[in-house]
Amino acid sequence: MTSIIKVDEIQSKSGNGVSADLGKGQVLEVLSSPCDGSSVTVGSGTYAFENVTGVQTLTSSFVDITGSTIAYTPPSGTSAVKYEFQFHHSRVDTDVFSSMKFFIDSDEVVYARLQISGSKVDMRQYFSWTINIGGSANTNTGRLASWTSAKTLKMQAQEYNSSYDVLLHQSNHFASSSTNMFMMPHLTITAIR
């Protein structure tokens, strides 16, 4: 049996008119998966995740990070979308020096740039950025005036030069062993009211 509730107005506890912020900040949907080629269905549609099966070797030119790309349309009523990408970052040489960018379609979100450098860096990295919706668009922060159709979200990366070779999705050492091991990336998109 299906139940339906219909109301003309929702008032605050004190009965003083409509509470305009009712439900603000609540999660509308979470789209999440390892980057294993899965198709995941949420309220706004069905989304295919990239299938990452091996290491990605960076060069001195920016390239898309495998696993980071998804075309997403948030559900109606969304005021913010949170993009979260986890990936493993390691080195060929002793030192690493890599730069990363985040994009909404062809626009780089300038303030979201990520720099990874150090000696013997071999660890899972976590990138997160919230895209606010409404008001004036701003490519520096990634704010969008509106979002009603699919937009492609992705990351790009480069190594500084060949003296700082960088590998993604692979660890050089695991469990006291120097054997290379594949580490699958993971992507999560959260729509917030």
Side-chain angles (χ1 to χ4, degrees):
M1 175 178 237
T2 302
S3 297
I4 299 173
I5 297 174
K6 294 183 179 182
V7 298
D8 293 321
E9 183 177 337
I10 297 175
Q11 294 187 354
S12 64
K13 242 175 139 175
S14 64
N16 296 333
V18 176
S19 176
D21 291 331
L22 189 64
K24 289 286 187 186
Q26 292 183 351
V27 171
L28 294 173
E29 69 181 18
V30 177
L31 173 64
S32 187
S33 178
C35 301
D36 61 358
S38 291
S39 288
V40 177
T41 300
V42 291
S44 64
T46 299
Y47 300 89
F49 287 76
E50 289 184 83
N51 187 22
V52 180
T53 59
V55 64
Q56 181 178 11
T57 304
L58 296 185
T59 68
S60 59
S61 298
F62 277 100
V63 294
D64 293 352
I65 299 178
T66 54
S68 73
T69 302
I70 195 159
Y72 180 69
T73 307
S76 177
T78 300
S79 67
V81 170
K82 186 175 183 182
Y83 174 97
E84 299 170 277
F85 184 56
Q86 297 179 48
F87 59 99
H88 203 87
H89 182 283
S90 61
R91 81 290 187 272
V92 174
D93 304 305
T94 302
D95 298 323
V96 297
F97 191 180
S98 59
S99 302
M100 301 184 185
K101 299 177 181 180
F102 175 58
F103 287 84
I104 303 170
D105 286 336
S106 61
D107 295 323
E108 182 198 353
V109 180
V110 178
Y111 294 163
R113 288 177 176 173
L114 176 65
Q115 183 69 41
I116 300 172
S117 59
S119 179
K120 299 183 179 179
V121 174
D122 189 349
M123 62 188 295
R124 184 167 285 269
Q125 301 292 329
Y126 174 80
F127 174 85
S128 175
W129 196 261
T130 300
I131 304 162
N132 291 311
I133 304 167
S136 298
N138 184 330
T139 54
N140 286 330
T141 64
R143 178 179 287 275
L144 300 173
S146 63
W147 189 348
T148 57
S149 60
K151 292 190 178 296
T152 300
L153 310 176
K154 69 179 182 181
M155 293 185 70
Q156 290 188 344
Q158 71 164 174
E159 63 188 19
Y160 183 71
N161 61 36
S162 60
S163 297
Y164 300 92
D165 289 332
V166 176
L167 302 174
L168 301 181
H169 317 317
Q170 177 178 288
S171 175
N172 298 120
H173 299 84
F174 186 77
S176 302
S177 170
S178 60
T179 303
N180 293 338
M181 182 176 178
F182 172 64
M183 304 287 198
M184 183 172 281
H186 189 278
L187 180 61
T188 299
I189 306 293
T190 304
I192 302 166
R193 181 182 299 279

